[in-house]
Amino acid sequence: MKIVLLLAALLFAPLSFAQSLYQQLGEQQGIETIVEEMLYQVGGDERIAHHFDGVDIMRVHKLISEQVCDLSGGPCDYSGEDMKTSHRNMGVDNADFNALVEHLIAAMEKEDVPVSAQNQLLGLLAPMHGDIVEE
Amino acid sequence: MMNKCLYGGGFLLTCVLALSPPAAAEQGARLLATGGTSSLEGSGGGGIVPWATLSSYAGEDQFGATVNLSEVSVDDFRLSVQGASLSWNNRIELSYAEQTFDLSTIGGELSQRIIGAKVRLAGNLIYGDLPQISLGLQHKKNNDYELPAAVGSKDDNGTDWYVSAAKAWLDGPFHRTWVANLTLRSSKANQLGLLGFGGDKEDSREWLAEASVAAFINRYWAVGVEYRQKPDNLSFAEEQDWKDLFVAYFPNKHVSVVGAYTDLGSIAGLNDQTGWYLSVQAAF
């Protein structure tokens, strides 16, 4: 019986160590810190800061954090509008989108998010490009 | 720089936005490494393969430029390349390269000039379902034609046409970012054109396949392989396909460095030409 338990433990050990993306991002607290850092950098980036003029940054922070939590498998349900609706007539171009991606990467690096987790999140967000950018 | 505190009280973030320093991320409309490096023939690409990507980080309505130096040192030859490129709008790339091929063992040297142009036809390297697809040409002209003529080549100049498709997967195998490029080239060039164009054995254009695959270990370092089919037009010596194994470093959007181990096969009758490739590019 002991051997069976030991084998079972060995078999499932890798699973228990494999963290979900949500966990690798630092769960709710970690995600909120990453998004805050990202928005902090956005505010200092003259390429894209103007898109946030007059915008309720606290609300943006809440919604993006919620969305990242939701996408990464966390216990959240994104409550905002879909990407197409929320970015309509904002005039976001490829350069703006890339600038935001750069700030997200920099924020994740600052928070020591492993490259593999960074890539998983970027891979989940990249498909939104088509709904956000006005070609 | 913004200088407003939109929602004064309560949440630090709103005021922090107003006070934040200039962006840590760099200028340039495209993501790090998406300009690729400079190929041996001056076009933006990998080392020996032109890619569908356009050099520099210029985005919509922007100009970008690069200059580059490359050296290939194999057993009996040494190739030195000086190149430059100009890109606009992430749409058009113009390039120029001078190649000097030092016949270290045989003695003497060959050289040629290459003018290149590339147009992005469709797609985006990173976003969307389509790969980025570009059409390009490289017009090459020998400076010294005596030796190429003596070994049976038919012309001192020629134009290569190519179509390339490139695609990046942000979250590829092993949760790493991967890039692949496939190029189909129509060419008569012997050893890039350094030994002239067309030959006594074969004097017609041929479609050649070239491919590169790279994996980014992190944002700054990539490792990859390249393969390039070659024509075989001259009867005096067999020409073989080229391959290399490379490491690329992109510390920022202004500099990239590539080191590679290359296998250039048989050149001018001297077999097993293997050695090193080193390339440095500055982008503006």
Side-chain angles (χ1 to χ4, degrees):
Chain A
M1 189 61 190
K2 270 182 183 172
I3 289 174
V4 173
L5 281 175
L6 184 65
L7 283 175
L10 286 172
L11 192 64
F12 290 107
L15 286 177
S16 60
F17 288 132
Q19 289 191 310
S20 72
L21 176 57
Y22 175 67
Q23 288 171 315
Q24 291 185 76
L25 293 171
E27 306 193 344
Q28 191 68 44
Q29 182 61 47
I31 289 169
E32 284 179 7
T33 306
I34 290 166
V35 175
E36 182 175 337
E37 174 65 27
M38 178 185 80
L39 290 173
Y40 172 84
Q41 294 187 24
V42 165
D45 185 343
E46 61 197 14
R47 292 177 294 179
I48 53 173
H50 64 272
H51 285 305
F52 295 84
D53 281 353
V55 163
D56 181 348
I57 290 294
M58 289 164 66
R59 181 169 171 271
V60 169
H61 177 265
K62 173 184 168 280
L63 287 175
I64 296 179
S65 299
E66 199 173 83
Q67 190 177 29
V68 170
C69 168
D70 192 353
L71 276 172
S72 65
C76 313
D77 284 309
Y78 175 59
S79 62
E81 297 168 314
D82 66 76
M83 289 294 99
K84 199 161 198 147
T85 306
S86 58
H87 293 86
R88 184 167 290 149
N89 299 324
M90 274 185 70
V92 176
D93 64 15
N94 274 309
D96 299 332
F97 191 90
N98 285 334
L100 194 75
V101 170
E102 285 178 350
H103 293 307
L104 174 60
I105 290 170
M108 290 192 290
E109 294 213 324
K110 191 169 177 192
E111 295 304 313
D112 293 323
V113 175
V115 172
S116 59
Q118 291 184 26
N119 288 340
Q120 287 174 66
L121 181 57
L122 294 175
L124 291 169
L125 295 173
M128 296 174 182
H129 174 271
D131 285 338
I132 292 173
V133 170
E134 291 170 20
E135 305 270 8
Chain B
M1 182 93 63
M2 302 210 311
N3 63 346
K4 46 181 104 84
C5 263
L6 296 174
Y7 297 85
F11 196 25
L12 183 65
L13 187 65
T14 20
C15 280
V16 155
L17 267 177
L19 303 170
S20 52
E26 295 176 71
Q27 302 299 302
R30 286 151 52 192
L31 297 177
L32 185 64
T34 56
T37 63
S38 299
S39 71
L40 284 179
E41 293 155 304
S43 308
I48 57 176
V49 178
W51 287 13
T53 52
L54 302 204
S55 65
S56 90
Y57 293 98
E60 284 137 29
D61 301 322
Q62 292 177 332
F63 280 99
T66 66
V67 292
N68 74 287
L69 292 174
S70 302
E71 289 280 331
V72 186
S73 181
V74 292
D75 298 86
D76 299 297
F77 304 95
R78 187 178 180 93
L79 176 64
S80 305
V81 184
Q82 297 161 296
S85 77
L86 184 68
S87 298
W88 177 72
N89 201 25
N90 195 23
R91 177 63 70 185
I92 294 172
E93 171 194 295
L94 301 175
S95 60
Y96 177 75
E98 288 192 5
Q99 296 180 330
T100 305
F101 193 56
D102 187 1
L103 312 170
S104 319
T105 304
I106 301 168
E109 70 171 38
L110 296 167
S111 67
Q112 68 173 349
R113 283 171 283 182
I114 305 171
I115 293 169
K118 189 196 292 180
V119 181
R120 181 173 63 85
L121 298 179
N124 181 295
L125 177 68
I126 295 178
Y127 306 117
D129 298 326
L130 266 187
Q132 179 159 329
I133 298 168
S134 296
L135 180 69
L137 68 83
Q138 294 171 340
H139 181 71
K140 308 173 177 185
K141 173 100 166 63
N142 292 156
N143 294 331
D144 322 283
Y145 190 59
E146 275 176 43
L147 182 61
V151 298
S153 99
K154 298 294 185 192
D155 224 327
D156 72 344
N157 71 87
T159 303
D160 290 358
W161 288 92
Y162 63 89
V163 57
S164 295
K167 179 77 189 153
W169 292 268
L170 291 172
D171 186 25
F174 308 105
H175 294 306
R176 287 296 179 273
T177 297
W178 289 69
V179 183
N181 183 89
L182 182 66
T183 295
L184 286 175
R185 181 196 300 257
S186 166
S187 175
K188 286 168 74 174
N190 311 317
Q191 299 294 5
L192 306 183
L194 288 159
L195 283 175
F197 301 81
D200 52 347
K201 186 164 140 192
E202 184 66 58
D203 189 28
S204 55
R205 283 184 170 276
E206 194 179 339
W207 282 102
L208 304 155
E210 307 174 5
S212 311
V213 178
F216 281 83
I217 305 305
N218 58 30
R219 302 282 149 230
Y220 312 103
W221 290 90
V223 294
V225 293
E226 294 193 292
Y227 192 92
R228 174 167 174 171
Q229 266 189 340
K230 306 286 292 306
D232 188 19
N233 301 328
L234 301 171
S235 59
F236 93 103
E238 187 194 359
E239 180 167 346
Q240 294 179 329
D241 296 350
W242 284 8
K243 36 199 172 280
D244 71 64
L245 184 65
F246 70 84
V247 177
Y249 178 45
F250 300 90
N252 55 50
K253 287 186 184 174
H254 299 293
V255 181
S256 65
V257 183
V258 182
Y261 172 74
T262 80
D263 178 353
L264 306 186
S266 182
I267 299 179
L270 298 171
N271 294 332
D272 302 321
Q273 297 297 316
T274 59
W276 299 97
Y277 167 93
L278 184 67
S279 178
V280 180
Q281 185 206 73
F284 310 96

